């Protein structure tokens, strides 16, 4: 991660910014996939849930928790690309 041992430093947060924004955009794009069994209202609701999760996660300062959140986002993105809904968004 970076220089912080337990808590993220400003450098750590800046270094992760691009990766997190990329994951956020990819997840929102994947929720628009026609392979997901969602109508328009459900898609908008799932996007709102994803935004809320990312906004709450933006407050996190623990390096281990940040790594876990990024791993969970990668896993959720892989499920969305397969046409499945991740459990925490269902």
């Amino acid at each position: 991660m970076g220089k912080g041992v337990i808590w993220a430093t400003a450098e750590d947060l800046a270094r992760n910014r691009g990766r997190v924004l990329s994951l956020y955009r990819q997840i929102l794009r994947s929720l628009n996939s026609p392979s997901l069994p969602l109508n328009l209202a459900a898609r908008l609701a799932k996007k709102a849930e994803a935004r809320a999760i990312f906004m709450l996660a933006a407050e996190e300062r623990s390096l281990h928790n940040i790594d876990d959140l990024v791993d969970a986002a990668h896993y959720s993105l892989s499920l969305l690309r397969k046409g499945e809904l991740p459990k925490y968004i269902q």
Side-chain angles (χ1 to χ4, degrees):
M1 219 345 133
K3 295 185 178 211
V5 177
I6 295 175
W7 303 107
T9 63
E11 292 175 14
D12 296 330
L13 297 175
R15 193 175 304 115
N16 282 323
R17 183 179 312 258
R19 183 168 66 155
V20 170
L21 285 175
S22 175
L23 280 169
Y24 174 68
R25 289 181 189 126
Q26 289 176 35
I27 287 174
L28 289 183
R29 268 190 240 120
S30 295
L31 286 170
N32 280 333
S33 172
S35 64
L36 292 176
L38 299 172
N39 61 23
L40 179 63
R43 284 182 202 283
L44 293 175
K46 299 301 176 197
K47 285 182 179 183
E49 287 178 37
R51 283 186 192 100
I53 290 168
F54 272 86
M55 289 188 64
L56 287 174
E59 303 288 323
E60 187 57 54
R61 294 295 179 247
S62 166
L63 291 175
H64 301 290
N65 290 347
I66 292 170
D67 281 340
D68 289 344
L69 289 167
V70 169
D71 289 342
H74 278 290
Y75 177 71
S76 298
L77 185 58
S78 70
L79 288 178
L80 286 170
R81 287 182 174 158
K82 291 178 190 175
E84 302 173 18
L85 287 174
K87 295 243 185 253
Y88 76 89
I89 294 182
Q90 287 180 349

